[in-house]
Amino acid sequence: MRQLNILKAILDFFWFLSLIGAIGVLVFTPFLLFSSEIDIPVTIKGQEIVLNNIISKVIVIINLIGGIVFLYSIYLLRKVVGLFQKREIFNEQVIQLFNLIGKLIIASSLISHMSVFVYKIIERPHYKLTLDIGGYDSFLISISLGLFFMVISVIFKIATRMKEENELTI
C-alpha cells in the first residue's frame, strides 16, 4: 500500500500545480487572444502559434479545452486512487471511472494533436516529417494509455462478476 500512498501524493501534487497553472492560463488567455498590444509567442506541442488570425486563436482555445479535459482525467484518477485507499476495489464506480478516464485521455490527445496538425496544414503549408516516438507526450503513447485504462475497466468488470459468482456459490 506504500506505492498507493506515493501515487496519491504525486497525483495530488500534480493536480495542485496544474490547477494553479490552469487558473493562470484561463485568466491570462482572454487578454492574449483579444488584445493586440500583447505580443507573446505561444508554443503548443513544439509548434509556435502566431496569434494573428481567428484560426490560430481557435487553435489555442481548442488546446485549452484539451488541457482541461486532461486535467479532469487526472482528477478522476485521484478519485480512483482514493477509492483504492478505502479498499473499494471491485466497485461499479471504479469500473466507470477507469472507462471514463481512458475516453478522456484519448479525447484530450486527439483534441490537442489534431488541432496542431490542422494549424500546420493551414498556416504552414510546407511539409516536414518529424518522428515523435518515445516521448511522454507522444500521440501513440497517449492513445495507448487511454486504451489501457479502458481495458483495465473491462478487466475490473470481469473480476467483479467473477467475485459475485464466487460469493453466490459459497
Side-chain angles (χ1 to χ4, degrees):
M1 286 308 245
R2 194 175 89 208
Q3 296 92 343
L4 197 58
N5 292 332
I6 293 170
L7 176 62
K8 179 76 166 129
I10 290 171
L11 287 173
D12 288 344
F13 181 69
F14 177 77
W15 172 251
F16 177 73
L17 292 180
S18 297
L19 202 56
I20 291 171
I23 291 169
V25 166
L26 288 175
V27 168
F28 184 67
T29 299
F31 295 111
L32 183 67
L33 294 177
F34 300 115
S35 174
S36 60
E37 297 172 7
I38 300 175
D39 189 27
I40 297 174
V42 176
T43 304
I44 299 173
K45 304 266 183 232
Q47 176 68 43
E48 186 170 325
I49 309 289
V50 180
L51 298 174
N52 58 358
N53 59 23
I54 192 73
I55 293 171
S56 60
K57 292 177 182 183
V58 168
I59 296 296
V60 169
I61 292 170
I62 289 172
N63 273 281
L64 283 175
I65 293 169
I68 291 169
V69 168
F70 180 75
L71 282 178
Y72 184 60
S73 69
I74 297 299
Y75 170 76
L76 294 178
L77 185 57
R78 288 177 62 237
K79 283 179 70 170
V80 168
V81 172
L83 289 170
F84 285 173
Q85 285 179 326
K86 295 176 186 174
R87 304 221 186 261
E88 295 180 27
I89 297 170
F90 297 109
N91 185 337
E92 186 63 32
Q93 185 180 12
V94 170
I95 294 167
Q96 291 172 351
L97 287 174
F98 271 139
N99 192 30
L100 183 57
I101 290 167
K103 289 177 182 177
L104 290 173
I105 289 173
I106 290 172
S108 171
S109 182
L110 286 173
I111 289 169
S112 62
H113 284 85
M114 291 302 148
S115 64
V116 171
F117 178 73
V118 168
Y119 177 78
K120 287 179 182 178
I121 289 173
I122 293 172
E123 294 293 321
R124 311 268 190 240
H126 62 277
Y127 297 104
K128 180 178 168 183
L129 178 64
T130 59
L131 293 175
D132 186 23
I133 298 173
Y136 71 92
D137 199 24
S138 168
F139 179 67
L140 293 176
I141 294 297
S142 299
I143 297 297
S144 299
L145 187 61
L147 289 172
F148 175 75
F149 276 106
M150 294 169 75
V151 167
I152 291 293
S153 169
V154 172
I155 290 170
F156 269 62
K157 184 181 270 186
I158 292 169
T160 302
R161 278 195 217 131
M162 290 176 70
K163 180 183 173 206
E164 289 171 359
E165 289 175 4
N166 191 23
E167 288 174 355
L168 291 175
T169 55
I170 294 177

